[in-house]
Amino acid sequence: MNSMHSFSSTGNHAVVVTQVSDTQWHAVEGDRVVGRGDASLRPDGRLFISIDAWHGAVFASIADAMLACLPAPLYTVVDEADQDTTSAWERTGFTAARREWGYLVPTDPQVTGLGSVRLPSGVTIVPAGEAEEGLLRALDRVIRDEVEAAAGWRTMPAEVLPRPAGTTLLDPSKYAVARHGDQYVGLVRVVSLTRQPRIGLIAVRGDRHRHGIARALLANALGSLHRSGTASAWTEVDESNAAATALFEGIGARRSGSTLELVRR
């Protein structure tokens, strides 16, 4: 482990920034930790960093220490509404690489218009927790290959990035799937969080696009949430994903915030 020291001031004492592990930096003023920096390697090989500091000078000192130790390119994620933090990253040489819109998604079929959705011919929905793992993993591999050949995994939420073992499936019980014959052709992943369920992924095999399968999966997932008393769910959509944007906005999802992925090359 290398140690890196840099100095700034919050007006009282000198601030010393030290690398305390391979992935962590601390800024200390006197006997108080006044800022922290963390680095984490995503499964797709990209290195993301984060900094937590109250003072701009401390933020800059931690950033300088981290940038001196870590290889480019480096990435970070910020709430686009937090202009102070966004500007602080931009001053260290980061620029916007992509944007993700956050959506509040209603679950009431009277609002979404999904109550009358009919399943495409020959397609059935297998509820979450009932999918056959072998067929689910086969579909996961097909979709993964299609994503890598098109937009790339960099446009996908962090939790669906490919793992070292070559799978994006962490918990098969979270997935409901669309089945046609002896194949799974589409999937939706819903995670129950404390405040609001989150639709983490909805995907259909490329050769089954434009058959209404994604819409049927969404109708099933949101209908289940509505019956359990949940009024809305949350999802994020990459701004370049026109199909997903149209799908969610077409059922009354309301844009509510955005996240920027910044990169320093």
Side-chain angles (χ1 to χ4, degrees), residues 73-95:
L74 294 171
Y75 298 83
T76 194
V77 176
V78 296
D79 182 341
E80 191 170 9
D82 186 349
Q83 295 182 347
D84 289 342
T85 301
T86 303
S87 296
W89 284 110
E90 289 173 343
R91 285 193 292 272
T92 66
F94 281 77
T95 57

Side-chain angles (χ1 to χ4, degrees), residues 70-136:
L70 298 172
L74 294 171
Y75 298 83
T76 194
V77 176
V78 296
D79 182 341
E80 191 170 9
D82 186 349
Q83 295 182 347
D84 289 342
T85 301
T86 303
S87 296
W89 284 110
E90 289 173 343
R91 285 193 292 272
T92 66
F94 281 77
T95 57
R98 73 181 190 93
R99 175 184 284 108
E100 216 170 60
W101 296 111
Y103 283 94
L104 279 172
V105 187
T107 64
D108 187 344
Q110 297 296 319
V111 177
T112 63
L114 295 175
S116 60
V117 167
R118 294 180 180 275
L119 286 172
S121 178
V123 173
T124 56
I125 302 294
V126 181
E130 297 181 21
E132 296 177 39
E133 188 168 336
L135 292 176
L136 181 57

Side-chain angles (χ1 to χ4, degrees), residues 23-72:
T23 60
Q24 289 189 317
W25 286 254
H26 283 179
V28 178
E29 181 183 33
D31 59 356
R32 294 187 308 126
V33 175
V34 294
R36 291 180 171 84
D38 289 278
S40 60
L41 191 66
R42 292 275 180 96
D44 64 348
R46 294 185 299 160
L47 189 58
F48 278 72
I49 65 175
S50 63
I51 295 175
D52 181 17
W54 283 100
H55 296 280
V58 176
F59 183 104
S61 291
I62 297 173
D64 288 344
M66 296 179 78
L67 296 178
C69 297
L70 298 172

